[in-house]
Amino acid sequence: MKPPIPYSDSPLDRENLRRRSRDWVEAQDRAPESRYLPLWQLMPLLKLGDVRELAWAKREFFEDLEPTPEPVLLGTRDGVAHYAVDVSAEPKREPGFGVEDVASFEDLRAIVAQLPAGDAAIAAQARTLVDWHKRHGHCAVCGGHTRSVQGGANRICFDCQAEHFPRTDPVAIAVVLKGDRCLLGRGPGWPDTMYSALAGFVEAGESLEDAARREVLEETGVRVGEVRYVSSQPWPFPSSLMIGCAAFAESEELEIDRLELDDAKWFTRDALRAALEGRKPDLTVPPPFAIAHHLIRAWVDGELE
Ligand SMILES: [Zn+2]
């Protein structure tokens, strides 16, 4: 099996069955061995050192904070509960928060390549959930206040009892293929040499396949027939799910939407192989923490025929 795509394959059990019991959730809250990951403005606390790892704290660190943050239960590992705690209301303290190791808050996107795979996945879940809770203190139905339930798996409105669940925004991301060529695009503001798979949000009432076809047609003028799912990646900025596809083109001529793309081009397999291996100074592709890298590599390796 291939190594997991970054941000996926979390080692935590989300405990979606046991967290239905309020008693069980409260027992985790009281357990002295429970571990807490502080996030400051959505940046997780990481140990400093040759290998960067998540820096876990004990419950005491936030009990005296005002207002007391509400931890979000991410799941368990070997029976130990793991939480994320938003400490954005506090002044930034590094090191601090009761973490014994020297640690610093880091932008997850900038640091992911240095994290162990499991830690990247946990940080992705933590980042998305903390952001969602922060922005959903009010009910979208009646405007009333909401409260966190089931350890933060969802929220319920105090007034109308409407349930609200953390959102995931699906994005279709596709390498467009025709024979021995692959169509990639360059977004506005990217380096001149950088090309990547084409991506767009799946819209309301739209299938993944229809979204991929529409996106490719709108951005490049290329008509796509068959669309095949390849793999997916959580993208916690703030709550996307990148759904990687191979899109098989039925036309080649380009008519580029210059609002969405600076450029789009058909590339040969040899050119993309050289770019993946860093042998082509005039062409770069996204690094391995992005699903686009894996889609391009899968095509170069003959896996998307
Ligand atoms: Zn309500």
Side-chain angles (χ1 to χ4, degrees):
M1 232 171 86
K2 287 186 180 180
I5 290 181
Y7 300 124
S8 69
D9 204 27
S10 172
L12 296 183
D13 179 338
R14 293 181 181 235
E15 298 284 9
N16 286 333
L17 302 183
R18 289 205 283 185
R19 68 167 72 219
R20 292 173 187 163
S21 155
R22 190 182 295 181
D23 288 347
W24 183 83
V25 170
E26 285 175 2
Q28 309 313 306
D29 288 348
R30 287 191 305 272
E33 67 272 21
S34 293
R35 310 173 86 195
Y36 296 83
L37 175 66
L39 286 92
W40 190 81
Q41 295 192 356
L42 301 180
M43 294 186 285
L45 191 63
L46 303 181
K47 292 182 191 176
L48 292 181
D50 294 341
V51 179
R52 305 301 303 268
E53 290 176 357
L54 299 178
W56 296 96
K58 295 288 186 191
R59 182 176 183 87
E60 298 82 56
F61 92 88
F62 67 85
E63 284 179 329
D64 295 334
L65 301 183
E66 280 290 338
T68 309
E70 191 166 35
V72 178
L73 177 58
L74 303 173
T76 64
R77 186 177 194 179
D78 301 327
V80 176
H82 288 60
Y83 293 82
V85 185
D86 183 12
V87 294
S88 303
E90 290 294 301
K92 194 178 183 186
R93 281 189 271 145
E94 295 172 340
F97 299 108
V99 174
E100 288 167 13
D101 308 271
V102 183
S104 61
F105 292 103
E106 302 286 352
D107 177 3
L108 182 56
R109 206 191 298 238
I111 205 85
V112 62
Q114 297 174 46
L115 283 182
D119 277 8
I122 293 170
Q125 182 194 5
R127 192 185 192 286
T128 291
L129 278 178
V130 164
D131 179 66
W132 179 79
H133 280 283
K134 192 180 242 177
R135 293 193 285 135
H136 289 78
H138 287 87
C139 176
V141 178
C142 76
H145 286 283
T146 62
R147 64 187 167 93
S148 171
V149 294
Q150 297 196 9
N154 56 318
R155 301 185 73 87
I156 290 182
C157 176
F158 279 106
D159 293 340
C160 77
Q161 314 303 319
E163 276 189 281
H164 301 281
F165 292 87
R167 58 184 293 167
T168 296
D169 303 316
V171 174
I173 177 165
V175 281
V176 183
L177 309 174
K178 194 159 199 315
D180 198 41
R181 295 201 301 164
C182 172
L183 176 65
L184 301 177
R186 191 179 74 223
W190 296 8
D192 283 354
T193 57
M194 170 73 90
Y195 285 80
S196 184
L198 302 175
F201 285 106
V202 179
E203 295 189 351
E206 191 173 45
S207 71
L208 170 69
E209 292 83 351
D210 286 344
R213 287 186 197 99
R214 175 184 53 73
E215 197 63 35
V216 173
L217 183 65
E218 285 174 359
E219 292 190 352
T220 69
V222 169
R223 278 183 290 105
V224 165
E226 184 188 353
V227 173
R228 202 183 304 157
Y229 168 77
V230 179
S231 60
S232 67
Q233 179 187 36
W235 191 251
F237 308 102
S239 54
S240 294
L241 175 66
M242 310 299 284
I243 309 175
C245 317
F248 295 89
E250 293 179 341
S251 70
E252 291 178 35
E253 200 177 328
L254 297 175
E255 190 179 328
I256 298 167
D257 173 5
R258 300 283 172 184
L259 277 181
E260 292 281 333
L261 291 181
D262 269 358
D263 194 24
K265 267 186 202 160
W266 291 97
F267 294 96
T268 65
R269 221 179 280 255
D270 286 344
L272 290 180
R273 185 177 290 115
L276 285 167
E277 293 169 0
R279 293 188 283 108
K280 203 164 161 46
D282 61 341
L283 177 61
T284 47
V285 293
F289 66 74
I291 192 172
H293 179 98
H294 300 268
L295 293 171
I296 294 167
R297 181 173 292 281
W299 178 67
V300 166
D301 290 345
E303 294 169 10
L304 304 183
E305 305 308 313

